[in-house]
Amino acid sequence: MANERSLKGVPNQDFQKWLDGVSKKFLLLSNDQRNDTLDKLISCSGSHQLNHLSTRLPQLLYRDYISLLPQEVAYHILQYLPGHTLLDCCTVSQSWNAILQGAARVWWMKAIQRGAGDVVYYGGAARKYMMLYQQVEKLLDNCCRGSCFVDLSLEGHTNRVMAVCYRDGKVATGSDDQSVRVWDAHTGRLLHKMHTHTVSDLKLTPKHVYTASFDGTVACWELSTGESRYWLVGHTSAVFSIDVHDSGLVISGSSDKTVKIWHRQHEEPYLLTSLEDYHTEWVTKVQFLSVAESSNDLLFASIDKNICHVWCSDATGHCEKLFSTKKLMGLQITSFSHSKPGRFHLCTWKERELCNEISTYTFTRDSLTLVSTVPLGGDTPLRCQLLGAGDKFAALTSSSEIDQLFLFSFSQCCCVARVNIPLCRFTRNGATLTLGERSWLDGFNGTPPEGTVMAACLQNSSHVMLLNWKL
């Protein structure tokens, strides 16, 4: 021990021999004894030794695996990080920034996952894909803030508005004041006004407005003159939904639990077929379905809260029921959406589990296929109403306090934006709310979309709210 205490200033050879001996004895100690030894050495150290220790420890403990790993392996790891974390990684070091600036495919994947449209990956510089991700992220953030929208109030009705319809830059509204008004969706200017009946649903065509009424009738009105062209009488209770087809057919669904098909290309339109005993609840939605392949047959759907039927009709009104969705105990259909050939969506509510689901179906003349069922999480309202769905997003509202528009991402399975709106009216047939242009549901291209987002009848008011994308 006396020799060890006199080591200060000894030749390096003797010091190295002493250090080797101490190291061998150190390795014979237990882990706790080693820790106690290190604590003792640290307590005896001065500033030079402590500074040396602070420099050496990071080198021993930390490894920059991203920089050390092969490039493709590093890219594979990075693709599992959220996009906002990748942006933070760009600021860690120059080496990390260089790696991420070369990770074109990673940024392309992040942009697609976040909600970019169908952008084909061509490789090349990562910056364009990184910018696309940042633009989509900013657009979603602006949706939540409401800064990318401008709202208009359509005022003129003198009683509550019960139906609204959008087509080609125009909005039609039907009210309990027994009138229909047609507005320019971009400016809010009144274009047409006509005296009708009470309106529960309506459809707008280039020359006509078709209205369904609580009085059990369906009517057609000339846009240019406001005069009635014809009336369709046959239902024994309120008509909740109508749709029209270029072939000259009109379909209607009613609280009398029937679906009726009418022919309108004659001076005296007439009833072709009445579909009875297929629905046990109110028929709240009917809609013609477009198919991918060309056919002389017309497909349409009829929906009540328990089941969805898909029908095929020819020009004479002869109908054949092709398919029906499964009727399950405790499962209720809250809404239906169809905007693309060969595909439709059903939003359902599970009473026992207290959760919503969106089911996607594809169909042809010969088949109906359930493609996917996506559960909606706790960040969406109970008993959702589906306004529309595309490849990337679904637009939803609640069915009670309708004061927000929810944007649900299919790829992320969560709500990515909530848009605050005035309190809106709810009806079982969903006619009080409608989406405008729907292309943005297939994904964003980095710039705000154009046109109308939605139109909605306000609660306890005769006004209609129109929400447009800000130019």
Side-chain angles (χ1 to χ4, degrees):
M1 294 297 293
N3 289 337
E4 291 180 5
R5 285 196 294 270
S6 62
L7 284 172
K8 185 176 181 180
V10 300
N12 286 336
Q13 184 177 1
D14 294 338
F15 170 74
Q16 191 63 45
K17 187 181 299 184
W18 171 83
L19 187 60
D20 291 341
V22 172
S23 299
K24 291 178 181 179
K25 293 179 180 180
F26 182 79
L27 293 174
L28 297 175
L29 301 177
S30 66
N31 286 330
D32 290 338
Q33 290 173 331
R34 291 182 188 183
N35 292 340
D36 291 340
T37 303
L38 291 175
D39 290 339
K40 186 65 175 178
L41 290 173
I42 291 173
S43 66
C44 297
S45 300
S47 59
H48 289 288
Q49 289 75 46
L50 293 176
N51 183 61
H52 175 74
L53 187 63
S54 66
T55 303
R56 286 289 293 157
L57 280 177
Q59 298 174 2
L60 296 171
L61 295 177
Y62 306 128
R63 291 289 186 272
D64 186 357
Y65 292 106
I66 296 300
S67 299
L68 296 175
L69 287 171
Q71 189 179 77
E72 290 304 316
V73 177
Y75 289 166
H76 183 75
I77 294 173
L78 290 172
Q79 72 179 356
Y80 292 102
L81 296 178
H84 61 85
T85 303
L86 291 179
L87 291 175
D88 293 337
C89 289
C90 291
T91 64
V92 170
S93 65
Q94 290 184 347
S95 61
W96 279 34
N97 183 57
I99 292 171
L100 286 163
Q101 291 295 338
R105 188 171 186 84
V106 174
W107 285 112
W108 171 76
M109 291 174 60
K110 293 297 135 186
I112 295 298
Q113 291 171 2
R114 195 56 177 154
D118 291 331
V119 180
V120 179
Y121 177 70
Y122 290 110
R127 183 165 181 79
K128 61 180 180 181
Y129 302 115
M130 184 189 300
M131 289 182 61
L132 178 60
Y133 166 80
Q134 291 175 301
Q135 289 166 346
V136 173
E137 186 70 34
K138 183 179 180 180
L139 183 55
L140 291 174
D141 183 60
N142 288 339
C143 286
C144 294
R145 299 173 184 270
S147 58
C148 57
F149 304 115
V150 58
D151 62 284
L152 297 173
S153 179
L154 304 181
E155 303 177 8
H157 287 291
T158 58
N159 207 331
R160 63 178 185 173
V161 182
M162 296 300 293
V164 62
C165 173
Y166 174 89
R167 177 167 176 166
D168 298 335
K170 297 178 181 179
V171 173
T173 57
S175 168
D176 280 354
D177 64 9
Q178 298 189 355
S179 75
V180 167
R181 294 169 183 254
V182 180
W183 319 74
D184 185 305
H186 305 294
T187 64
R189 182 171 63 90
L190 180 64
L191 302 176
H192 306 282
K193 177 185 175 182
M194 57 207 73
H195 181 72
T196 60
H197 46 180
T198 59
V199 179
S200 58
D201 191 25
L202 49 75
K203 288 294 179 291
L204 182 62
T205 68
K207 295 183 178 181
H208 304 96
V209 174
Y210 294 82
T211 57
S213 177
F214 296 105
D215 65 11
T217 63
V218 175
C220 175
W221 312 85
E222 295 280 355
L223 268 182
S224 58
T225 64
E227 298 294 327
S228 64
R229 187 179 177 193
Y230 53 80
W231 295 74
L232 304 176
V233 180
H235 285 289
T236 59
S237 189
V239 181
F240 283 143
S241 182
I242 55 171
D243 200 11
V244 297
H245 194 272
D246 293 340
S247 64
L249 296 187
V250 177
I251 52 176
S252 56
S254 167
S255 60
D256 64 11
K257 304 175 186 178
T258 69
V259 176
K260 296 187 184 298
I261 306 173
W262 316 78
H263 201 290
R264 59 183 172 88
Q265 285 191 336
H266 293 277
E267 293 184 2
E268 293 294 333
Y270 56 93
L271 177 66
L272 289 174
T273 305
S274 181
L275 303 174
E276 303 177 6
D277 301 325
Y278 292 98
H279 288 277
T280 58
E281 299 288 342
W282 294 355
V283 182
T284 54
K285 185 71 174 179
V286 292
Q287 186 172 351
F288 283 106
L289 304 176
S290 56
V291 293
E293 69 274 7
S294 60
S295 172
N296 293 326
D297 295 327
L298 299 178
L299 271 62
F300 66 92
S302 60
I303 300 97
D304 63 36
K305 71 176 185 178
N306 294 325
I307 200 166
C308 171
H309 296 305
V310 177
W311 307 83
C312 178
S313 173
D314 59 22
T316 66
H318 174 72
C319 281
E320 175 188 359
K321 188 177 73 171
L322 299 180
F323 315 104
S324 299
T325 58
K326 290 184 179 180
K327 186 176 181 180
L328 300 175
M329 184 69 68
L331 185 71
Q332 294 184 6
I333 299 173
T334 62
S335 42
F336 170 91
S337 175
H338 166 68
S339 58
K340 288 197 170 185
R343 187 175 74 181
F344 65 78
H345 299 83
L346 289 177
C347 187
T348 55
W349 165 252
K350 287 187 172 181
E351 190 70 40
R352 180 175 299 177
E353 293 86 351
L354 298 179
C355 69
N356 301 283
E357 293 179 341
I358 296 179
S359 298
T360 303
Y361 292 84
T362 58
F363 62 89
T364 64
R365 175 68 173 77
D366 302 313
S367 66
L368 176 68
T369 305
L370 175 60
V371 177
S372 64
T373 298
V374 180
L376 305 183
D379 54 356
T380 56
L382 298 179
R383 300 187 71 91
C384 284
Q385 297 292 315
L386 177 64
L387 301 186
D391 295 335
K392 296 298 178 69
F393 300 110
L396 306 161
T397 66
S398 69
S399 58
S400 53
E401 296 291 322
I402 306 177
D403 57 3
Q404 286 185 319
L405 176 67
F406 295 81
L407 187 57
F408 181 84
S409 168
F410 285 113
S411 61
Q412 299 174 73
C413 292
C414 66
C415 178
V416 293
R418 298 185 182 189
V419 182
N420 292 322
I421 57 176
L423 188 62
C424 300
R425 176 175 286 111
F426 165 76
T427 54
R428 280 183 58 178
N429 65 349
T432 52
L433 301 102
T434 184
L435 286 184
E437 301 296 336
R438 297 171 181 247
S439 59
W440 59 275
L441 294 173
D442 294 328
F444 298 115
N445 61 10
T447 58
E450 297 180 355
T452 297
V453 182
M454 68 176 297
C457 308
L458 299 184
Q459 179 86 345
N460 302 321
S461 174
S462 61
H463 299 168
V464 173
M465 183 272 298
L466 194 61
L467 195 66
N468 290 333
W469 294 101
K470 184 180 291 184
L471 299 177

